[in-house]
Amino acid sequence: MRSIAKGLGLGSAAMALTALTALAWPGTAGAAPTGTESLYAPSALVLSVTAGPDAEAGTVMRAVTLVCSPTPGGTHPNPVAACAELRANGSQLDPLAAPAADAVCTREWNPMTVAAVGVWQGRRLSYTYTFANPCGLRNTSGTLFGF
């Protein structure tokens, strides 16, 4: 039994040493390609629309990714505009999720919840907003949740 445990310990130590060597040794296959280093803090979010009043317990209807640093990208249909809105509002997303002032919707209760989870400018972000019905969601004032 000792020889098995000893062998596992030596094997684990050898694998750890190999991994550390690969990370520290210049020009290895695991090293980041030249030019990918960035002065920008990471900004990447997963945006979702959920049927129901709770983003965690409801049924996710659709979701997209949004990357804003160093350049806009992801699966969001308009990442340039969405990232510009985020930069203008920072982590205050209520103005981007609120229905437009001229939106005309019924007062039925059929809740839809949007969520933004990830990292914004190097800090964790977890945001949810619940609309009374799909009409409110369709008439948001911003493009962030327009997917």
Side-chain angles (χ1 to χ4, degrees):
M1 188 66 123
R2 272 192 203 159
S3 62
I4 293 173
K6 190 176 182 182
L8 289 175
L10 290 176
S12 298
M15 287 187 343
L17 181 60
T18 303
L20 288 173
T21 304
L23 290 174
W25 198 271
T28 60
T34 306
T36 59
E37 293 81 19
S38 176
L39 297 176
Y40 301 100
S43 292
L45 301 171
V46 175
L47 308 171
S48 63
V49 175
T50 303
D54 184 10
E56 292 182 21
T59 302
V60 176
M61 306 301 285
R62 56 192 179 272
V64 296
T65 58
L66 179 65
V67 177
C68 293
S69 268
T71 58
T75 59
H76 192 283
N78 194 349
V80 174
C83 289
E85 285 180 352
L86 280 169
R87 283 187 190 98
N89 289 287
S91 61
Q92 303 300 317
L93 302 185
D94 281 341
L96 301 177
D102 60 348
V104 178
C105 295
T106 60
R107 292 186 178 217
E108 71 178 300
W109 180 247
N110 181 13
M112 300 292 284
T113 302
V114 294
V117 178
V119 178
W120 175 249
Q121 297 180 342
R123 294 192 175 145
R124 299 193 95 180
L125 176 73
S126 181
Y127 173 82
T128 59
Y129 186 94
T130 301
F131 296 93
N133 54 50
C135 177
L137 175 59
R138 280 191 306 272
N139 289 294
T140 58
S141 57
T143 61
L144 181 65
F145 294 109
F147 57 89

